């Protein structure tokens, strides 16, 4: 890409393990020296040293587990501040002119939702100025600044969000000159797989995946990338290259829209597969309430109460029986105590509550499903052959999900992976 | 002071031990609740949790022990960021509306001498605005921001400097309305003593001391307050109250000018004592060079070389002998390796170097010396009676210092303390 005359930049994001110790930071600096010799000018984004954010959160929770506000965000933002300072020093030692930049110095403006702020605008001028002077910006991920100059933090996956948002802003800035900006995200896994390789040994690496599929996978339990950063990439047409922190080889390109629009040097999927990946979430629980009042009123107020407490309800089904309406919904394991609390106060005495723990959600995802009918039939027939009973189901244009018993998860995942021709 | 109609504010500075753990932070918050009920509106300044700055410096030095620049200051400034966040949270838990403020948020502008920046201006508007809204600012000590928006740090004693500089700026702002702002500095010691109580058991606490004397004491080895903050207090007419972190009682007022100008509620020294305190510095070493070229050229270049390496030379004497010029100078123990390095390259082979380690500097300080001749005679006569030999001597209008053998220090300190009527 460096052969282009038009300005091409590259945002490179490294997670906490990449800067987890001084030795790791030195190794990362060595790698950056090698990579920046041939590549486009980089903008580096880093997370806090691994364990540091948790250490800071533990300090805060010792004082007040419920407090969220400016002081909390200022506290946990210090982790990234330490990491960018140390990496900049390691680069300077290697005669690379690097400058650490905090959220407010980059001009990453957010709203004031502390602990999970959303980026509103980015002023790329400070970055462009540094790059024009041959200086590599080392940007603190996960943080921004609100209209009152308070430090804010972006919540889970925040550093990935910072990286993709920076790439989006830089791309918009460079586009009129014919330039571009991609985003590399270095993680503990070398690529996006057709299934979790720990569960399905025959899982393959994907060379490319559409951001639409990636968003579904993230929503369905894939931990590889947070849905927010994929969303921003999709919305602003930023190509994301997910790569290994530990190996210097290509990983998976997450490309806006469908796979055919993918970038240079990318293996195109001439014959688009029906299903791109099998995804799962092992931490699912199902509440079943019976009998509940018929009609939307009861449901609306129940789910409002759950949302107010921060419980994310995933799949909801309700069925009418002769004895009354039966309502089931799934939540993640972590939300069980909160859900119980809400149900205790929201339900009248005559409604019985059952909790099924140890459940798992298994899904198949693929933009190809749009053009290939009969995927649902194949999906359920595989589960039937494997003797896996299905408790809840939900489908969209490009995915099918089922909540099943956790003990059946591995068997179901392997069988679906084979059925949809994903095996290596 | 709260009975005044004119606006009176109070800057309160707490060191690392006051915020050394979550328990200490909670205890400090309790104390602040009590103190702010009756006192003037406070502006709180805190240092990093004890040990934290050293931990961060150790990380930096593992990468590059020699680097000083923006990344270094950004790194070590994170310590105060953590402390103000946690203290603000602890205050909020007690229904006190507190807001953590970083150097750039307060508007503490410094020069760009990283690791030991000097404060140039402070914009008090952000603080005044908070206070007017009933919010207590919790300000990060030790840090500021330069003209390019880089985070800077103020070097040793930096948080004390922040506190006194804030008080100075607030005082200047309030003066036209007849208001005022003092500065309380809470430390591990309860007051300024007439001598170090660990050395001289009969040492007494001073109710008041002039900033002029305090500056001499700091320069002469007293660790109680850094000379920079006393200087700022003297220059901007800020009264500093040095108090104990651990006990809730008054300590020592350090008042600009001479003691008679002291503030309200202060015991005045009707009969000013000749000597206010005996001060010492146990970490002194003396280099003696012989023979050195006569004339100022050699001295100028030698001391320039030492200064360039950051060696602080304290007392210098040179004496002409029949065999040539003999030059002696004292440095602190820590600067011995650097000094040796400089001497090795700066000296020609014929100049012999002697190093006397384990030396101590003993001093008497007092603005009363101006009006009482004969102090020097009493000083040397005490040392003679105690059989203490004097290696180097320096005097000013308000102090006499002598470098002696470290083994003689305690005996000399006790005898001088008695001679100048300081014993309890």
């Amino acid at each position: 890409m460096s052969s282009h005359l038009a300005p091409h930049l590259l945002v490179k994001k490294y997670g906490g393990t990449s800067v987890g110790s001084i030795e790791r930071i030195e190794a990362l600096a060595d790698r950056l020296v090698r990579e920046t010799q041939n590549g486009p000018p980089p903008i580096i984004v880093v997370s806090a040293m691994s364990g540091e954010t948790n250490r800071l959160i533990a300090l805060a929770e010792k004082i007040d587990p419920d407090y969220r506000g400016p002081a909390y965000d200022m506290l946990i933002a210090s982790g990234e501040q330490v990491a960018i300072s140390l990496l900049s020093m390691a680069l300077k030692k290697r005669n690379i002119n690097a400058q650490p930049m905090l959220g407010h110095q980059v001009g990453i403006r957010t709203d004031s939702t502390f602990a999970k702020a959303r980026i509103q605008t980015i002023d790329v001028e400070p970055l462009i100025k540094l790059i024009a002077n041959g200086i590599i910006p080392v940007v603190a991920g996960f943080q921004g600044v609100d209209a009152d100059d308070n430090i804010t933090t972006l919540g889970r996956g925040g550093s990935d969000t910072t990286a993709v948002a920076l790439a989006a802003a830089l791309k918009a800035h460079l586009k009129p000159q014919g330039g571009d900006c991609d985003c590399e995200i270095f993680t503990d896994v070398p690529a996006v797989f057709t299934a979790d390789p720990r569960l399905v040994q025959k899982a393959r690496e994907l060379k490319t995946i559409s951001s639409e599929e990636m968003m579904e996978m993230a929503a369905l339990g894939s931990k590889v990338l947070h849905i927010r950063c994929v969303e921003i990439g999709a919305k602003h047409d930023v190509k994301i290259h997910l790569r290994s922190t530990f190996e210097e080889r290509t990983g998976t390109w997450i490309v806006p829209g469908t796979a055919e629009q993918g970038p240079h040097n990318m293996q195109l999927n001439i014959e688009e597969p029906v299903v791109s990946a099998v995804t799962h979430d092992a931490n699912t629980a199902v509440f079943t309430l019976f009998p509940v009042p018929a009609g939307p009123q009861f449901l609306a107020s129940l789910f409002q109460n759950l949302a107010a407490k921060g419980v994310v309800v995933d799949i909801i089904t309700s069925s009418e029986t002769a004895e009354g309406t039966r309502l089931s919904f799934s939540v993640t394991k972590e939300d069980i105590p909160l859900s119980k609390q809400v149900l205790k106060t929201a339900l009248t005495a005559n409604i019985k509550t059952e909790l099924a723990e140890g459940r798992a959600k298994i899904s198949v995802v693929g933009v190809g499903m749009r053009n290939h009918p009969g995927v649902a039939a194949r999906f359920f027939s595989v589960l039937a052959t494997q003797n896996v009973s299905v408790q809840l189901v939900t489908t969209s244009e490009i995915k099918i999900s089922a909540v099943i018993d956790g003990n059946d998860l591995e068997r179901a995942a392997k069988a679906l992976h084979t059925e949809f021709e994903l095996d290596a």
Side-chain angles (χ1 to χ4, degrees), chain A residues 373-417:
Chain A
V375 173
R378 282 167 77 186
F379 180 87
F380 289 113
S381 120
V382 166
L383 295 183
T385 312
Q386 293 294 325
N387 221 353
V388 173
S389 66
V390 172
Q391 202 170 352
L392 299 176
V393 175
T394 181
T395 62
S396 82
E397 236 192 331
I398 65 163
K399 71 120 195 278
I400 305 172
S401 298
V403 173
I404 61 177
D405 192 305
N407 296 317
D408 296 334
L409 175 60
E410 186 171 340
R411 210 167 70 250
K414 283 178 173 163
L416 287 167
H417 200 264

Side-chain angles (χ1 to χ4, degrees), chain A residues 110-124:
Chain A
T110 72
D111 61 22
S112 299
T113 318
F114 294 102
K116 38 184 168 179
R118 299 190 77 88
I119 296 176
Q120 292 175 329
T121 59
I122 295 180
D123 174 16
V124 295

Side-chain angles (χ1 to χ4, degrees), chain A residues 16 29 33 90 122 127 154 165 168 191 213 230-231 264 268 293 331 364 366 383:
Chain A
V33 169
I122 295 180
L127 291 179
L154 308 180
E213 287 165 307
V230 185
E231 251 170 17
H264 23 238
L268 294 179
V331 299
V364 296
L383 295 183

Side-chain angles (χ1 to χ4, degrees), chain A residues 204-267:
Chain A
R204 281 184 301 111
E205 291 184 14
L206 290 162
K207 290 276 170 217
T208 163
I209 189 167
S210 71
S211 50
E212 199 179 356
E213 287 165 307
M214 195 67 219
M215 277 189 274
E216 280 289 7
M217 287 175 69
L220 295 172
S222 164
K223 305 271 185 303
V224 179
L225 269 183
H226 198 274
I227 193 164
R228 272 172 74 189
C229 90
V230 185
E231 251 170 17
I232 295 171
K235 193 171 164 192
H236 298 279
D237 200 29
V238 173
K239 293 179 283 287
I240 301 170
H241 186 188
L242 186 104
R243 308 181 63 176
S244 169
T245 299
F246 307 112
E247 299 169 70
E248 296 189 27
R249 61 181 183 84
T250 56
T252 303
W253 280 93
I254 297 136
V255 292
T258 57
E260 284 89 351
Q261 301 163 352
H264 23 238
N265 305 328
M266 189 175 297
Q267 284 197 355

Side-chain angles (χ1 to χ4, degrees), chain A residues 52-71:
Chain A
E52 181 63 7
T53 304
N54 286 341
R55 184 184 77 86
L56 293 167
I57 291 174
L59 288 175
E61 295 199 333
K62 255 179 109 174
I63 291 177
D64 187 348
D66 297 323
Y67 171 77
R68 290 294 179 276

Side-chain angles (χ1 to χ4, degrees), chain A residues 254-320:
Chain A
I254 297 136
V255 292
T258 57
E260 284 89 351
Q261 301 163 352
H264 23 238
N265 305 328
M266 189 175 297
Q267 284 197 355
L268 294 179
N269 298 304
I270 304 297
E271 189 69 31
E272 191 176 54
V274 181
V275 159
S276 296
V278 175
T279 306
H280 74 276
D281 179 355
N283 292 312
T284 296
V286 177
F287 282 96
T288 301
L289 315 184
F290 174 83
V292 302
Q297 210 107 57
F298 171 80
L299 292 185
S301 99
L302 177 66
F303 292 118
Q304 259 163 27
N305 285 333
L306 286 163
K309 284 278 177 187
V311 173
V312 179
V313 172
D314 186 16
I315 307 179
I316 304 165
T317 61
S318 97
S319 52
E320 306 289 331

Side-chain angles (χ1 to χ4, degrees), chain A residues 28-56:
Chain A
L28 173 55
D30 284 336
R31 180 175 183 169
L32 286 169
V33 169
R34 286 193 300 276
E35 288 184 355
T36 55
Q37 270 160 358
N38 301 313
I43 295 90
I44 297 158
V45 176
V46 292
S47 304
M49 296 171 81
S50 50
E52 181 63 7
T53 304
N54 286 341
R55 184 184 77 86
L56 293 167

